[in-house]
Amino acid sequence: MTENPFFAASPLVYELPPYAEIREEHYLPAYERGMAEQLAEIAAITDDRALPTFENTLVALERSGGLLRRVDAVFRNQSSSDTTDLLDEVEAKVSPLLAAHHDAIHLDQRLFARIEGLYGDRAALGLDPESLRLLERRYTAFVRSGARLGAAEQARLRELNAELAALGTTFQQNVNAATRSAALVVDTAEELAGLSEGAIAAAAENARVLGHEGRYVLSLKSPSNQPELAQLADRSVRERLLAASLARAGEDNGPLAIRMTELRAERAVLLGFPSHAAYVVADETAGTVEAVSGLLARLVEPAVANARREAAELLKVAAADGIEELAAHDWAYYSEKVRQSSYQVDAAALRPYFELERVLRDGVFFAAKLAYGLEFTERPDLTAHHPDARVFEVFEEDGTALGLFIGDFHARASKRGGAWMDELVGQSGLTGRRPVVLNNLNVPRPAPGEPALLSWDEVRTLFHEFGHALHGLFSDVRYPLFAGTAVPRDFVEFPSQVNEMWMVRPEVLANYARHHATGEPLPVELVERMTAAEGFGEGFRTVEYLAATLLDWAWHTLPQGHRVEDAEEFEARALAEAGIAVPAIPPRYRTSYFQHIFSSGYSAGYYAYIWSEVLDADTVRWFETNGQPVRDSGELFRRELLARGFGRDPLESFRAVVGRAPETAPLLERRGLG
């Protein structure tokens, strides 16, 4: 298959994948050849009779796997953003093969012996700081992958990794299928009373695309609570929508979650840790289970108390409709009522001020220019992975080319829920590659001829994901291992959360928040009221998030041998024992569709968002109070933190910016928990 476009580096600018030439049938052969080529490259390292050196071992290892890296980056995004039955089949076949390939490298005793020898002599090698860190991180990765285990233990480890890879793929595909099939279909527009005319038209268009001509379809988003719950006036429709969301994939994925956590617990013990959480956190910035548990425990009681105060306020309003007990499907609806009555804020009335194209260009891109001097030029001549996706070339303030940014913003049946960032090409001084990064969102497609209008939360998501994109674009490291967002899970959300601050920065907000039809700016007093109203909902948001985090923690602190019989019962008990079981606030993700922890690499790591928010809140305060021009502050943040990737200790990068260790007070103040 010599015509396979993955077999050679892309000839396009920045090595953008040649999407016009890529076909589904190219992926599997490219994966197979890519794995074989890398194993041959590893064999060349271990067969080298010369004494091991940093260059002939570590640098050679960094250079290996070029074909595999190319195909994997493209496939991972394609299978998430525009999947097909064939791609699902490829993913199911390739996932255990990749796990076995990882093991073949990290359990190669001859390769480990070379790395271990260099690690032992590291003080005498005269390495620069990034090279020394590469040696240390590679050594740690091999040890954590089982390189020191005996033959029998390594054989069992291979079995565990292969089964976990296969189960994770099945879990994700089950969620995708369940999310599509659980979409709420209604017969009349009257059932959607409360939604804007544009939202109802979008539901009609969604129905047409999905084969329900003449009806209306609300497709489910990734989290438990669906955004339409805040507007739907019909309580029974709200109840049906939330019920469909909460029930996703329960029968199929409950048993998978049980099996996966058992296997992870066994693997952790095999590798010398009491639990999967202990194994994961040992290599994160948090360091210990106790550190994470302590932070979460400090937040639960004040968060629940805050939520209960909010619930009392909501019930006062709901009582006027004859509701005596607030249900989960009522919370968002009556929260909106309180915002309208107490804060004079109507979320639906905000949408006309947040037109997607304007938010992107005059908000997200404008903030990047304000803080970092960036310029963006759309490149319609370059083909992306889907017709919806748009390619932008990114330039420095002096006109120097930096990389490519791809935006794929609209929801479709072939795309998984949520929002995320991918790196299609990672930056590396060693290889000379510059970054190609991509953001995926799930903004509902408007009816033909209508503008795509965003909610307040969708605006936040756009800024958040672009923060990840900047992390990838600004990468300035030598070794691919350290590039861009390849940092610990409990640090990776920090730069993206910091980038959210620009959405309400006065000079940025005034530049993009304009009525799509009249051009009138969003009234300043409305922004102030919206900010106050957000403070009212902080109890709900914190409890919703903490419930998911503590659920993840409960699953992954289980010791080996602990048998869970029923996933739903375990979930209910875990939330109750953590003190976070608030019936009217379901976890942001329930077990059966918690893709973060069962198929997306965040197992025992969903705490990362709140852990990162400690750094985020502290950094935002630094931006606001350091007395420096925004451009100077942005340049320091870029140079000392975003550009460094994992090339040095992330907390050292934080201290290089802020000048001290992080403090929790700004986070507690932000969330109303202080």
Side-chain angles (χ1 to χ4, degrees):
M1 204 174 197
T2 55
E3 74 280 7
N4 192 311
F6 290 112
F7 287 174
S10 171
L12 299 178
V13 61
Y14 304 97
E15 296 190 24
L16 174 71
Y19 284 108
E21 302 173 19
I22 295 171
R23 303 289 180 267
E24 291 183 350
E25 59 268 23
H26 292 142
Y27 287 112
L28 186 56
Y31 264 119
E32 291 172 339
R33 181 181 289 194
M35 287 184 276
E37 281 189 6
Q38 187 170 30
L39 291 181
E41 291 164 340
I42 298 301
I45 296 173
T46 57
D47 289 343
D48 189 345
R49 295 191 176 185
L51 288 175
T53 66
F54 182 81
E55 288 292 327
N56 70 20
T57 303
L58 274 301
V59 173
L61 181 57
E62 283 295 284
R63 290 186 182 277
S64 72
L67 168 55
L68 182 58
R69 189 178 295 114
R70 286 195 297 273
V71 65
D72 192 51
V74 174
F75 181 80
R76 279 188 292 105
N77 176 68
Q78 197 72 32
S79 63
S80 296
S81 65
D82 190 26
T83 195
T84 65
D85 290 343
L86 180 56
L87 292 184
D88 284 349
E89 292 175 12
V90 172
E91 186 176 27
K93 183 171 185 177
V94 164
S95 292
L97 293 178
L98 287 173
H101 180 71
H102 176 275
D103 286 340
I105 295 173
H106 288 83
L107 300 180
D108 185 319
Q109 292 305 295
R110 293 196 300 164
L111 181 59
F112 179 60
R114 296 175 72 94
I115 293 173
E116 187 175 35
L118 291 168
Y119 179 79
D121 293 338
R122 62 191 183 281
L125 297 180
L127 299 176
D128 63 82
E130 188 180 341
S131 296
L132 177 60
R133 185 165 177 80
L134 177 67
L135 174 55
E136 293 172 341
R137 289 303 307 166
R138 281 293 187 188
Y139 174 77
T140 298
F142 272 72
V143 172
R144 285 176 57 81
S145 297
R148 283 181 163 173
L149 297 178
E153 289 81 5
Q154 287 190 358
R156 178 55 181 156
L157 182 62
R158 292 174 193 266
E159 294 173 353
L160 292 170
N161 288 338
E163 185 174 355
L164 280 166
L167 291 174
T169 297
T170 302
F171 187 99
Q172 177 174 309
Q173 293 179 355
N174 287 346
V175 174
N176 292 345
T179 299
R180 289 193 296 269
S181 64
L184 181 65
V185 182
V186 300
D187 296 320
T188 67
E190 287 72 23
E191 293 172 271
L192 301 182
L195 298 186
S196 68
E197 290 184 7
I200 294 174
E205 172 66 10
N206 193 29
R208 185 193 65 78
V209 170
L210 296 176
H212 299 281
E213 190 78 43
R215 305 173 79 187
Y216 303 82
V217 175
L218 300 180
S219 290
L220 297 183
K221 315 303 186 296
S222 187
S224 297
N225 277 283
Q226 302 298 302
E228 295 87 356
L229 292 171
Q231 279 82 44
L232 288 167
D234 189 322
R235 195 184 191 205
S236 66
V237 175
R238 295 201 306 270
E239 184 175 14
R240 288 166 54 199
L241 179 61
L242 184 59
S245 179
L246 296 177
R248 277 176 286 174
E251 292 186 7
D252 293 328
N253 278 353
L256 291 186
I258 292 171
R259 178 62 178 162
M260 291 181 74
T261 51
E262 289 176 344
L263 296 176
R264 286 169 174 169
E266 180 184 350
R267 182 176 62 184
V269 171
L270 195 63
L271 293 168
F273 294 87
S275 67
H276 180 68
Y279 169 77
V280 169
V281 175
D283 205 38
E284 304 290 327
T285 64
T288 67
V289 167
E290 291 74 20
V292 176
S293 297
L295 174 64
L296 298 179
R298 289 196 300 275
L299 298 177
V300 168
E301 186 176 347
V304 170
N306 200 355
R308 286 177 177 156
R309 287 192 293 270
E310 291 175 3
E313 291 297 313
L314 300 182
L315 194 54
K316 291 177 184 177
V317 179
D321 292 337
I323 294 176
E324 298 180 357
E325 183 175 352
L326 201 69
H329 52 268
D330 295 321
W331 193 293
Y333 182 75
Y334 287 103
S335 289
E336 190 59 32
K337 294 288 187 185
V338 169
R339 289 188 181 97
Q340 291 177 19
S341 61
S342 298
Y343 301 96
Q344 290 78 54
V345 170
D346 181 353
L350 289 174
R351 280 184 180 271
Y353 294 93
F354 301 139
E355 194 270 321
L356 172 59
E357 186 68 14
R358 183 147 202 164
V359 176
L360 177 67
R361 291 185 178 275
D362 296 341
V364 172
F365 290 172
F366 175 76
K369 180 176 183 178
L370 185 71
Y372 309 111
L374 299 186
E375 298 284 352
F376 298 82
T377 301
E378 190 156 7
R379 294 288 304 271
D381 57 308
L382 297 177
T383 301
H385 61 283
H386 189 276
D388 285 351
R390 303 160 61 189
V391 183
F392 298 84
E393 190 167 9
V394 188
F395 296 92
E396 301 277 17
E397 194 169 28
D398 63 1
T400 302
L402 179 62
L404 293 179
F405 167 72
I406 301 174
D408 183 359
F409 303 117
H410 288 296
R412 51 182 171 268
S414 59
K415 183 190 283 191
R416 72 172 170 88
W420 67 97
M421 172 265 197
D422 274 326
E423 293 184 23
L424 297 176
V425 179
Q427 177 272 333
S428 168
L430 183 67
T431 63
R433 292 189 179 92
R434 290 179 291 175
V436 177
V437 303
L438 184 150
N439 278 169
N440 269 290
L441 274 70
N442 267 283
V443 177
R445 185 182 301 282
E450 295 296 319
L453 303 179
L454 306 184
S455 69
W456 182 264
D457 284 341
E458 286 168 337
V459 173
R460 188 188 310 279
T461 299
L462 188 59
F463 276 88
H464 176 99
E465 294 304 328
F466 194 73
H468 286 305
L470 289 174
H471 202 176
L473 285 167
F474 286 153
S475 179
D476 187 16
V477 298
R478 178 167 174 75
Y479 302 112
L481 184 68
F482 297 145
T485 58
V487 296
R489 286 290 184 191
D490 59 5
F491 192 83
V492 74
E493 297 298 336
F494 160 46
S496 55
Q497 290 173 177
V498 167
N499 205 61
E500 294 176 20
M501 73 176 175
W502 301 111
M503 71 174 282
V504 293
R505 184 99 175 186
E507 64 269 43
V508 178
L509 187 68
N511 202 56
Y512 75 83
R514 292 180 174 272
H515 197 284
H516 73 94
T518 68
E520 290 297 313
L522 182 68
V524 174
E525 62 272 15
L526 185 55
V527 177
E528 294 171 349
R529 294 199 302 269
M530 186 66 195
T531 303
E534 278 204 315
F536 169 78
E538 203 59 71
F540 171 87
R541 285 188 293 273
T542 305
V543 167
E544 180 194 46
Y545 165 75
L546 285 176
T549 300
L550 288 161
L551 180 58
D552 169 30
W553 207 238
W555 277 115
H556 291 112
T557 51
L558 290 175
Q560 183 182 10
H562 182 97
R563 176 64 187 171
V564 174
E565 299 297 335
D566 182 272
E568 287 194 13
E569 290 180 3
F570 175 82
E571 179 178 304
R573 185 170 62 254
L575 296 176
E577 290 176 353
I580 200 72
V582 179
I585 307 179
R588 183 167 176 79
Y589 299 100
R590 295 194 65 198
T591 297
S592 62
Y593 50 90
F594 206 162
Q595 293 184 85
H596 283 77
I597 68 171
F598 290 114
S599 59
S600 297
Y602 273 77
S603 59
Y606 199 64
Y607 78 90
Y609 290 90
I610 199 78
W611 191 271
S612 294
E613 196 178 343
V614 172
L615 309 179
D616 152 37
D618 207 0
T619 302
V620 169
R621 177 172 290 184
W622 170 82
F623 262 100
E624 294 171 345
T625 63
N626 65 24
Q628 300 298 313
V630 169
R631 186 71 181 82
D632 291 349
S633 297
E635 186 59 32
L636 179 61
F637 188 60
R638 170 184 176 170
R639 183 181 67 250
E640 292 294 342
L641 193 141
L642 297 177
R644 295 296 189 118
F646 205 22
R648 73 176 176 191
D649 179 81
L651 292 182
E652 183 180 336
S653 295
F654 176 88
R655 286 190 290 270
V657 173
V658 180
R660 53 168 172 75
E663 298 175 352
T664 59
L667 167 69
L668 298 176
E669 180 181 328
R670 173 192 288 182
R671 287 196 172 253
L673 304 177

